[in-house]
Amino acid sequence: MRDQLLLLLQLQTCDVKVRELDSASKQLPAKLDPLRRDLAKLEGMLAGERAKLAETDTWRKTQQDQIDRDREALKSAQSKLQQSKNSKEFGAASREVENKRKAINDREAELKKVTEVTAQSTTQLASRDADIQKLRDELAAGEAGMADQLAALAAQLAEAKLARDAARAQVDKQWVKTYDSLVGKRGYAVAPVIKGVCQGCHMALPPQLNNILARMESIETCPRCGRLVYRKDMVESPKDTKDEPPTAS
Ligand SMILES: [Zn+2]
């Protein structure tokens, strides 16, 4: 019975390790999620700014075309002015020249303002681009480093599963069944008893049960939580597996 108990403990240690490694390798990829979110947000903002800038460029082009047309109109108004034969024609032509000049000046002033703002936006966009590139590099480096970590975890997990299967094969079928059912119900199956108290549920065991445990002739269950119990002072925990530092957290 002592052997079976030790084998059950070993199985439990192996199971814990498998579970730890399994959850570590599942949680690892999520660690880069905040970085991915930041990057996506910045990229979205940048795309919006680019679209706005493109719109402004189109607008500037139409304004420039309009100015070119106004200049042509100004030229023809000026030649009309030179050819005017009376004061009525002269008056009309000079008003037209004046209007066209004003229209051109106004449009050029507006265009100049917008061009200045656009230049600022373009500079900002370039610096944002640099920020985004930095984040992309960071993410790529993170993913590369993580690939190594994931591969290492996968190797450790495969090894731990082999050890677990080997441990399972050594335990009597009947106890494997009890063990599995307790793991399903309680999370883990084997609990130490320290100073007469079950460490699985923190209940003090009846003294006679505590004495039975000291004999190590049978595997007993805790009356409260149903876990398989053993006296910690009678059984040294299997050092070979227990003392290994946890490989992942
Ligand atoms: Zn208990």
Side-chain angles (χ1 to χ4, degrees), residues 198 201 222 225:
C198 166
C201 65
C222 167
C225 67

Side-chain angles (χ1 to χ4, degrees), residues 191 198-203 205 222-227 229:
C198 166
Q199 299 302 300
C201 65
H202 301 288
M203 190 192 75
L205 300 183
C222 167
R224 190 185 190 189
C225 67
R227 287 188 180 92
V229 282

Side-chain angles (χ1 to χ4, degrees), residues 34-86:
L35 193 56
R36 286 192 190 100
R37 276 196 293 273
D38 284 354
L39 184 59
K41 207 166 125 190
L42 268 177
E43 280 173 339
M45 271 167 59
L46 199 69
E49 282 169 30
R50 280 234 166 78
K52 243 198 271 173
L53 206 62
E55 247 172 61
T56 309
D57 274 344
T58 309
W59 181 86
R60 278 166 60 198
K61 212 170 169 305
T62 62
Q63 295 303 298
Q64 193 54 58
D65 290 348
Q66 188 57 50
I67 289 170
D68 293 345
R69 279 197 295 276
D70 282 348
R71 285 223 172 89
E72 287 303 311
L74 176 62
K75 259 190 227 161
S76 80
Q78 278 165 336
S79 76
K80 256 194 242 164
L81 186 64
Q82 280 170 358
Q83 288 158 21
S84 57
K85 295 177 186 98
N86 52 50

